[in-house]
Amino acid sequence: MDPRMLALGRQSSVIREIFEYGNARRREIGAENVFDFSLGNPSVPTPGKVTKAMRELLEGDPVALHGYTSAPGDPKARAAVAAHIEKRFGVPASLENVYMTCGAAAALTITLSAIVRQEDEVVIIAPFFPEYDVFVRTAGGRPVVLRTKAPSFLPDPGALAAVVNEKTAAVIVNYPNNPTGAIWDGETLSAFVRVLEEKQKTLGRDIYIISDEPYRELTYGKPVPYVPKYYKNTVVCYSYSKSLSLPGERIGYIFVPSAAADASDLFAAVCGAGRALGYVCAPSLLQRTAAMCVDLPPDLAAYRENRDLLYNALTEYGYECVPPDGAFYLFVKSPEPDAGSFAERAKKYELLLVPGDSFGGPGYVRISYCVSTAMIEKSLPAFKKLIGEYQNG
Amino acid sequence: MDPRMLALGRQSSVIREIFEYGNARRREIGAENVFDFSLGNPSVPTPGKVTKAMRELLEGDPVALHGYTSAPGDPKARAAVAAHIEKRFGVPASLENVYMTCGAAAALTITLSAIVRQEDEVVIIAPFFPEYDVFVRTAGGRPVVLRTKAPSFLPDPGALAAVVNEKTAAVIVNYPNNPTGAIWDGETLSAFVRVLEEKQKTLGRDIYIISDEPYRELTYGKPVPYVPKYYKNTVVCYSYSKSLSLPGERIGYIFVPSAAADASDLFAAVCGAGRALGYVCAPSLLQRTAAMCVDLPPDLAAYRENRDLLYNALTEYGYECVPPDGAFYLFVKSPEPDAGSFAERAKKYELLLVPGDSFGGPGYVRISYCVSTAMIEKSLPAFKKLIGEYQNG
């Protein structure tokens, strides 16, 4: 047995533990009395057009519909994604640049396996999605953490320059960010890529940005700079999990722009990595559904309402929050140094919050507001009482 | 860039090359004049009950339907699979033993990653599915080939004993076999596992059988011995790709029987490996569809008709074939030593056959009969002329 896999399987994630605790409380006191903000499972139903597309597809020839697609995906789905990218962002794209995947996690493991050689380093920017560490190690790489500072959690170019060296193969960039909800502005991104351009020259190696964009469409007004427009050596990992509320269906893609160094080899390596990891093709019904829905905007109304309600109430009560520009997370400063003990105290009020430690963001808690607005409304007095303990203490 | 991934991506598979050649010929002379026996894509539509199940599911709550399931799968799907296993094979099974996967390839890469440590050896039995070699290497293992002899291609216990050593972590067993269509009888399996039992004792380590069973339901009368009934340390990898004609949808499972050594740790390692490789969960709609269809028998009528038609005609013309007990492949002896040049010659008659070399079965060609019966009928004169070249030469 492989000890790393056993450890990974036994290691209960913090979020999972909180979720199980919530299940127990729901049984004890009723689901309507538990304020569970732990999970990132979209609460908005998939748009009716997606369901309609699936129904229409099911009317067609089942042999063609459910048959293997080619490994990079159904040509129509790849072409539809490419056309969307080109139209939306003005970046040249054809089906040859698009590899359909089983969601963003597969996009990341495949891209990392394609890029990273044994002992290479991959920079991940704290706070980060905890599985980045796992995925980088699967590819044989070593994660190197670039810290950022509250309250913006934007990266500092000097700090980036200090962690990039001759072993650096890639940097994972993720905004709208999980867990902070922050979106980089164009200036921040420009300064960031200038460091990488310079490092590529002085170190004489390609350093790729892996742009992990599952929350790209979830923005409440602030523009989301498209990384390939700023930096040639970018690979985009996208998923329809959040934008179309299809997280369980595992459908996304990898976009390797032609401007990337050795783009054709890199795309071949992506195909090789998909093969090596056992991804034969992305689910065919979902590929075809995505092809019909690439231009569909997400339904943000509920998330926006939740965000405004929660952010306004919490800041009014005295909480400090990262400005929640996108995604469906609020990253809230713990009123005591240890976010774990703050989250424990919150349980007294049936509030389930995730300490930021496993995201590389200690001293903060993550609050997922992809929940019902009614639950948020009902939870507000609990949030008020909770902060009151610190204000009066 | 990772050189192994680049090589894997650039390496055009023999089957793919033949398929592309076929596409070119179809454009040139019309699809009806090309006899393409290269692909293992089921030609029988998925049963109407499967489509009906999907339609019903799409009537339900989309948030629940398309949400993340837990990593090992939807509890109802896992329980349905377990109940099916227990009822069908009399092997104790509960949902705790079942991990839903994105098809059999994912089941194999996950199981191998869970079991194999760096430098471990995994025995693969020729002729074999060519990706076994790739998947074993992804897990950090070294494939060791156990040769078998024509015409039965059944393993010899003495030969097995000769390749198993203190580094052997697992043996992959696959019947009904791709590419031969052969099914092991109970006596062969018993002799095989006796060697492994003995080796486990003398070497003092667990040696797992990974039973790769995508073709389990595709048998034309011969019983298919269920490996967990013969050998405790078995992990079953299953897929609904062939039995329910859903190859593009990527739905299958791993079954870790409780009787296996360290079963609970092994299951945890499977969960860890799934996580490490980026398999968040198997596609949720398909998990739920499988749960409703676990007991559905495959529609074998067309494959049986094709098999009988092709096998009877080819043997009558003078070809030597492995008795095709299951799957939808006929493994035919090349009338000249080099199957590659035989397959080249077959192209003159627009017959597209796959040389057995990449399957570890040189001197043979694989003929996939998951095609239309009409195509087989139309192809028979070509097969007759082709063998005639050797008989008159």
Side-chain angles (χ1 to χ4, degrees):
Chain A
M1 210 171 309
D2 186 290
R4 179 185 170 227
M5 299 309 168
L6 178 57
L8 276 178
R10 284 272 179 236
Q11 180 193 79
S12 185
S13 93
V14 177
I15 297 174
R16 171 120 209 128
E17 264 176 31
I18 295 171
F19 178 69
E20 297 298 349
Y21 172 85
N23 280 339
R25 286 306 280 163
R26 279 182 276 268
R27 281 191 299 270
E28 285 161 29
I29 60 169
E32 69 284 5
N33 297 310
V34 181
F35 310 125
D36 188 345
F37 293 96
S38 65
L39 286 185
N41 219 348
S43 55
V44 167
T46 195
K49 203 183 153 186
V50 172
T51 307
K52 192 164 164 278
M54 290 189 192
R55 283 212 191 97
E56 274 175 35
L57 287 163
L58 287 172
E59 299 292 322
D61 171 23
V63 172
L65 176 60
H66 302 302
Y68 292 113
T69 71
S70 79
D74 173 56
K76 279 188 196 156
R78 296 166 70 198
V81 167
H84 175 83
I85 291 171
E86 197 160 286
K87 186 174 66 181
R88 179 93 175 281
F89 305 109
V91 172
S94 82
L95 67 87
E96 307 289 332
N97 303 109
V98 175
Y99 180 101
M100 304 299 294
T101 65
C102 292
L108 285 168
T109 53
I110 291 171
T111 301
L112 285 163
S113 291
I115 289 177
V116 174
R117 287 166 307 185
Q118 290 294 316
E119 311 298 322
D120 270 352
E121 293 181 358
V122 176
V123 176
I124 60 180
I125 305 169
F128 49 76
F129 176 52
E131 297 302 88
Y132 289 167
D133 183 278
V134 176
F135 296 163
V136 169
R137 290 179 201 278
T138 295
R142 201 170 73 80
V144 171
V145 176
L146 171 63
R147 305 262 159 224
T148 59
K149 284 195 190 122
S152 71
F153 290 108
L154 292 177
D156 172 66
L160 173 65
V163 297
V164 170
N165 60 51
E166 67 287 350
K167 286 188 172 172
T168 309
V171 181
I172 303 180
V173 166
N174 166 236
Y175 61 78
N177 183 261
N178 174 10
T180 68
I183 297 174
W184 296 13
D185 52 84
E187 206 177 320
T188 298
L189 179 57
S190 295
F192 192 87
V193 306
R194 266 199 305 275
V195 172
L196 292 181
E197 298 283 13
E198 190 55 38
K199 285 286 179 185
Q200 287 195 129
K201 269 186 218 147
T202 55
L203 298 169
R205 74 168 292 172
D206 292 311
I207 300 170
Y208 293 92
I209 289 183
I210 300 173
S211 184
D212 179 31
E213 310 185 352
Y215 300 98
R216 187 177 66 212
E217 312 305 332
L218 276 62
T219 171
Y220 306 101
K222 193 167 171 180
V224 180
Y226 195 57
V227 185
K229 294 182 80 165
Y230 290 74
Y231 188 69
K232 282 184 180 176
N233 283 346
T234 298
V235 178
V236 173
C237 295
Y238 185 75
S239 164
Y240 293 98
S241 289
K242 317 295 179 180
S243 59
L244 297 183
S245 292
L246 296 169
E249 302 299 356
R250 316 312 303 139
I251 186 71
Y253 64 80
I254 297 167
F255 170 48
V256 181
S258 296
D262 307 317
S264 158
D265 276 359
L266 184 56
F267 193 86
V270 161
C271 294
R275 187 179 162 193
L277 297 174
Y279 290 100
V280 173
C281 63
S284 51
L285 173 66
L286 268 294
Q287 285 193 53
R288 285 154 174 128
T289 303
M292 295 164 76
C293 301
V294 282
D295 295 324
L296 205 58
D299 179 2
L300 291 182
Y303 298 142
R304 185 191 298 273
E305 186 182 358
N306 288 355
R307 178 190 80 129
D308 293 346
L309 178 63
L310 200 57
Y311 178 72
N312 293 339
L314 264 53
T315 48
E316 187 199 313
Y317 302 157
Y319 288 95
E320 283 179 49
C321 307
V322 179
D325 291 320
F328 39 48
Y329 305 111
L330 205 56
F331 209 50
V332 178
K333 192 170 179 189
S334 166
E336 59 179 303
D338 180 359
S341 67
F342 171 60
E344 269 310 305
R345 194 182 286 228
K347 283 183 185 168
K348 267 202 311 194
Y349 301 97
E350 309 302 342
L351 288 168
L352 306 187
L353 318 176
V354 183
D357 301 68
S358 61
F359 298 91
Y364 280 76
V365 292
R366 188 188 78 166
I367 297 180
S368 297
Y369 55 81
C370 47
V371 297
S372 77
T373 308
M375 185 187 108
I376 295 180
E377 279 164 351
K378 203 172 166 190
S379 74
L380 293 181
F383 275 111
K384 193 166 185 182
K385 278 183 223 157
L386 175 61
I387 190 92
E389 287 202 22
Y390 296 90
Q391 291 161 334
N392 307 328
Chain B
M1 211 172 307
D2 186 289
R4 181 185 169 227
M5 299 310 168
L6 177 57
L8 275 178
R10 284 271 178 236
Q11 180 192 79
S12 185
S13 95
V14 178
I15 297 174
R16 171 118 210 131
E17 265 176 31
I18 295 169
F19 178 69
E20 297 298 349
Y21 172 85
N23 279 339
R25 284 308 279 163
R26 279 182 276 269
R27 282 192 297 269
E28 286 161 28
I29 61 171
E32 68 285 4
N33 297 311
V34 181
F35 310 126
D36 188 346
F37 293 97
S38 64
L39 286 185
N41 218 347
S43 55
V44 168
T46 195
K49 204 184 152 185
V50 172
T51 307
K52 192 163 164 280
M54 290 189 192
R55 284 212 190 97
E56 276 175 32
L57 287 163
L58 288 172
E59 300 292 323
D61 170 25
V63 172
L65 176 60
H66 302 302
Y68 291 114
T69 71
S70 80
D74 173 57
K76 278 187 195 158
R78 297 165 70 197
V81 168
H84 174 83
I85 290 170
E86 194 160 291
K87 186 173 69 181
R88 178 95 176 280
F89 304 110
V91 171
S94 82
L95 67 87
E96 307 287 332
N97 304 109
V98 175
Y99 180 101
M100 304 300 293
T101 65
C102 291
L108 286 168
T109 52
I110 291 171
T111 301
L112 285 163
S113 291
I115 289 178
V116 174
R117 286 167 307 184
Q118 291 293 319
E119 310 297 321
D120 271 352
E121 293 182 358
V122 175
V123 176
I124 61 179
I125 305 168
F128 49 76
F129 176 51
E131 296 303 87
Y132 288 167
D133 182 278
V134 177
F135 296 163
V136 169
R137 291 180 202 277
T138 295
R142 200 170 73 79
V144 172
V145 175
L146 172 62
R147 305 261 158 223
T148 59
K149 283 195 190 123
S152 72
F153 291 106
L154 292 177
D156 173 65
L160 173 64
V163 296
V164 170
N165 61 51
E166 67 286 351
K167 287 188 172 172
T168 309
V171 182
I172 302 180
V173 167
N174 166 239
Y175 60 78
N177 182 261
N178 174 11
T180 68
I183 298 173
W184 295 14
D185 53 81
E187 204 176 323
T188 299
L189 179 57
S190 295
F192 192 87
V193 306
R194 266 198 303 276
V195 171
L196 292 181
E197 298 282 12
E198 190 56 37
K199 284 286 180 185
Q200 287 195 129
K201 268 186 220 149
T202 55
L203 298 170
R205 74 168 290 172
D206 292 312
I207 301 170
Y208 293 92
I209 289 183
I210 299 174
S211 185
D212 179 31
E213 308 187 352
Y215 300 98
R216 186 178 68 213
E217 312 305 332
L218 276 62
T219 171
Y220 306 102
K222 193 167 171 180
V224 181
Y226 195 58
V227 184
K229 295 183 79 166
Y230 289 73
Y231 188 68
K232 283 183 180 177
N233 282 347
T234 298
V235 178
V236 174
C237 295
Y238 186 75
S239 164
Y240 294 97
S241 289
K242 318 295 179 179
S243 58
L244 297 184
S245 292
L246 296 169
E249 303 298 355
R250 317 310 304 140
I251 186 71
Y253 64 80
I254 297 166
F255 170 48
V256 180
S258 296
D262 307 317
S264 159
D265 276 359
L266 184 55
F267 193 86
V270 162
C271 294
R275 187 179 162 193
L277 297 174
Y279 290 102
V280 172
C281 62
S284 52
L285 172 67
L286 268 295
Q287 287 193 52
R288 286 156 173 127
T289 302
M292 294 165 75
C293 301
V294 281
D295 296 325
L296 206 58
D299 178 2
L300 291 182
Y303 298 142
R304 184 192 299 274
E305 186 182 359
N306 288 357
R307 178 190 80 131
D308 292 346
L309 178 63
L310 199 58
Y311 178 72
N312 292 339
L314 263 53
T315 49
E316 188 199 313
Y317 302 157
Y319 289 95
E320 282 178 51
C321 308
V322 179
D325 291 319
F328 38 49
Y329 304 111
L330 206 56
F331 210 50
V332 178
K333 193 171 179 187
S334 166
E336 58 180 304
D338 180 359
S341 66
F342 171 60
E344 270 309 307
R345 193 182 287 227
K347 285 184 183 168
K348 268 202 311 197
Y349 302 97
E350 309 302 342
L351 289 167
L352 306 186
L353 319 176
V354 183
D357 301 69
S358 60
F359 298 90
Y364 280 75
V365 292
R366 188 188 80 165
I367 297 179
S368 296
Y369 55 81
C370 46
V371 296
S372 77
T373 308
M375 185 187 107
I376 296 180
E377 279 165 349
K378 203 171 166 192
S379 74
L380 293 181
F383 276 111
K384 193 168 185 178
K385 279 182 223 155
L386 174 62
I387 190 91
E389 287 201 22
Y390 296 90
Q391 290 161 336
N392 307 329

